[in-house]
Amino acid sequence: MCGRFTLTLTTEALQQTFRDFIFPDGIQPRYNIAPGQPILVIPNDGRKQATHFLWGFIPSWAKDPQRYRFINARAETAWQKPSFRAAFRRRRCLVLADGFYEWKREEGKRARPFYFTMKDRRPFAIAGIWEHWQGADGSEIIGSALLTVSANACVAPIHDRMPLILPPEAYDQWLAPGEQPPERLRPLLQPYPAEAMQCWPVSPEVNSPRVDAPHLIEAVEA
Amino acid sequence: MTPSVAGIVLAAGQAKRMEGRLKQLLPCQGEVLVHRAARVALEAGLTPVWVVVGAEEARVRDALQDLPVQFLSNPHWAEGQSTSVAAAARQLRASQAPAAVFLLADQPFVPPALIQRLIAAWQAHHAAIVAPRIAGQRGNPVLISAEIFPLLETLTGDRGARALFAAHPPLEIPWDDPRARAEIDTPEDYARWCQP
């Protein structure tokens, strides 16, 4: 499960890191991206242009977009699950981030949040899938889910799952437009190397999606 | 102390159907429309109140000189109201407002009590969006909680607003008096609602 992440960069900084992609102006730093909010993505439409999707994958058959909203899809099974398999083959995206939160749950204690980033603090891309949902009144939502994999050695002490972070050399394949057979994509579904990552405990203020401020990612006493 | 709910008065546009007159500055029962909207926001206790200005910005600012409101310029006002909403959302996020009530300058008969009902419902139910159901129809003003501000920043056009409500259905507060919904959109509306 990955339920919150960050993208604390502006358009200029993103453009410097992801030179192959084109970013809209005016991107503001985000310290607490929560389900139901916009996420910055590169869809596999061949244009390599960043846009915003809603975080929450709504299957096209859902009548009520409230009831069916998946924020994550397990990478091991997404390619065969009825809700996700068409999107896995045809509608993939990169979800841009520079950190994510996971909660350590211990019996009898309140879950404690930890913040994970790359040791070099560079932004990265999480594998996502997306779906176009259309309501009876003509409203349209493009919703997206983050794929998750088993935790690597960095994340495992806190939580047993983590987002599927793709290395830059995998971007082209994940973003290939049109239909891709799942067998070709499955080699990409690996936990990111633990050695490249770091984490620290942070304030439980991140629990509220209404709080979105730089102090959320600062380390607190364990 | 918890920070208070902010007010946003959307007053940047230029109405096409008002025969070339700036709607925000039309007098309505002794007070120009934008002044009335801003005053109602203040009377309801919204703090701070931001007025988003664009078309004929200087005149609109002038009309509000006597009120303790702040201004937000939207140079992109001609591209539609979503640009004003996005500019307001950026400001709200920067000032860490916990929620905001969005008022339209052309709905002069929204009572302060209606705004206070929206705030009370938001406090009691932690809803992401609270809207009045005025005489059976969803209306304005709408209260938006802080977790929705990032979404407002990415909205474009009218379809964007519908997607917003589909993704985050508002908690609706019933309100009986249909005057709260009155909108000054045409010269006929103006004659009906504003002229003695």
Side-chain angles (χ1 to χ4, degrees):
Chain A
M1 168 101 174
C2 174
R4 298 292 171 82
F5 65 96
T6 64
L7 183 59
T8 68
L9 303 168
T10 57
T11 301
E12 293 70 27
L14 283 164
Q15 196 68 72
Q16 274 181 12
T17 307
F18 298 104
R19 290 178 182 274
D20 291 346
F21 305 143
I22 305 155
F23 292 90
D25 288 336
I27 294 170
Q28 302 292 312
R30 295 291 319 276
Y31 298 91
N32 191 7
I33 302 172
Q37 294 183 346
I39 55 179
L40 190 69
V41 302
I42 314 284
N44 68 328
D45 56 9
R47 299 192 304 151
K48 302 205 167 182
Q49 222 160 37
T51 185
H52 287 98
F53 288 170
L54 197 75
W55 187 7
F57 181 103
I58 307 160
S60 54
W61 46 261
K63 288 212 170 58
D64 176 2
Q66 287 307 296
R67 280 188 62 189
Y68 300 96
R69 194 141 55 156
F70 302 100
I71 62 169
N72 292 150
R74 295 173 74 93
E76 300 89 327
T77 57
W79 61 280
Q80 55 184 3
K81 288 263 183 202
S83 293
F84 302 132
R85 64 187 174 208
F88 188 90
R89 295 177 82 103
R90 299 189 198 110
R91 290 180 293 279
R92 294 172 304 278
C93 60
L94 298 179
V95 180
L96 304 182
D98 69 345
F100 61 91
Y101 299 96
E102 294 289 0
W103 279 256
K104 186 181 174 83
R105 286 168 212 283
E106 288 174 300
E107 214 168 310
K109 287 192 196 165
R110 205 172 154 202
R112 283 191 18 233
F114 286 73
Y115 183 58
F116 292 82
T117 65
M118 295 299 156
K119 281 182 179 156
D120 62 10
R121 299 305 294 268
R122 285 169 70 86
F124 50 87
I126 300 170
I129 53 176
W130 55 278
E131 185 69 271
H132 195 113
W133 178 88
Q134 192 148 25
D137 64 350
S139 55
E140 292 174 84
I141 300 173
I142 300 181
S144 180
L146 311 187
L147 294 191
T148 63
V149 287
S150 312
N152 63 19
C154 175
V155 181
I158 311 301
H159 192 69
D160 60 347
R161 305 287 298 172
M162 65 180 282
L164 170 54
I165 298 169
L166 292 174
E169 55 273 21
Y171 293 172
D172 278 348
Q173 200 183 345
W174 191 254
L175 290 181
E179 180 140 358
Q180 294 287 316
E183 314 77 71
R184 295 245 315 261
L185 298 166
R186 285 171 68 191
L188 303 180
L189 311 180
Q190 306 285 336
Y192 199 77
E195 315 80 69
M197 295 173 58
Q198 57 179 345
C199 86
W200 53 81
V202 293
S203 160
E205 274 190 82
V206 71
N207 294 353
S208 168
R210 290 176 189 174
V211 183
D212 184 358
H215 72 271
L216 292 183
I217 64 171
E218 286 168 12
V220 299
E221 290 290 314
Chain B
M1 200 189 94
T2 37
S4 57
V5 174
I8 301 290
V9 178
L10 297 171
Q14 181 149 39
K16 294 186 188 76
R17 280 176 288 186
M18 290 306 289
E19 299 169 348
R21 303 171 72 188
L22 198 65
K23 185 154 74 169
Q24 299 87 311
L25 298 180
L26 290 176
C28 189
Q29 302 189 4
E31 186 178 18
V32 298
L33 286 171
V34 68
H35 192 278
R36 196 173 175 110
R39 181 176 55 78
V40 165
L42 292 163
E43 280 176 15
L46 300 175
T47 321
V49 172
W50 296 93
V51 181
V52 188
V53 289
E56 302 201 40
E57 180 175 338
R59 284 176 65 207
V60 177
R61 284 175 185 252
D62 263 2
L64 296 171
Q65 260 182 356
D66 61 320
L67 294 178
V69 294
Q70 302 182 52
F71 294 98
L72 202 54
S73 284
N74 173 20
H76 308 290
W77 62 269
E79 293 158 41
Q81 196 165 70
S82 58
T83 61
S84 292
V85 172
R90 274 192 294 280
Q91 178 61 51
L92 289 163
R93 212 147 67 75
S95 57
Q96 296 188 34
V101 175
F102 284 73
L103 295 103
L104 306 177
D106 59 2
Q107 295 196 344
F109 304 115
V110 171
L114 168 51
I115 295 169
Q116 286 160 350
R117 285 278 300 280
L118 300 178
I119 295 169
W122 170 74
Q123 284 167 337
H125 303 290
H126 307 285
I129 303 182
V130 187
R133 178 161 281 273
I134 301 169
Q137 281 179 38
R138 187 193 294 159
N140 287 297
V142 176
L143 182 147
I144 306 272
S145 190
E147 65 268 33
I148 306 295
F149 296 158
L151 197 46
L152 300 185
E153 289 176 40
T154 64
L155 288 186
T156 47
D158 167 55
R159 291 151 79 85
R162 262 192 290 175
L164 170 72
F165 289 127
H168 298 277
L171 173 68
E172 293 186 341
I173 302 303
W175 191 264
D176 290 336
D177 182 0
R179 274 166 50 92
R181 200 173 59 209
E183 191 174 334
I184 312 303
D185 214 19
T186 62
E188 293 73 38
D189 295 334
Y190 180 61
R192 175 174 174 210
W193 294 105
C194 293
Q195 287 169 329

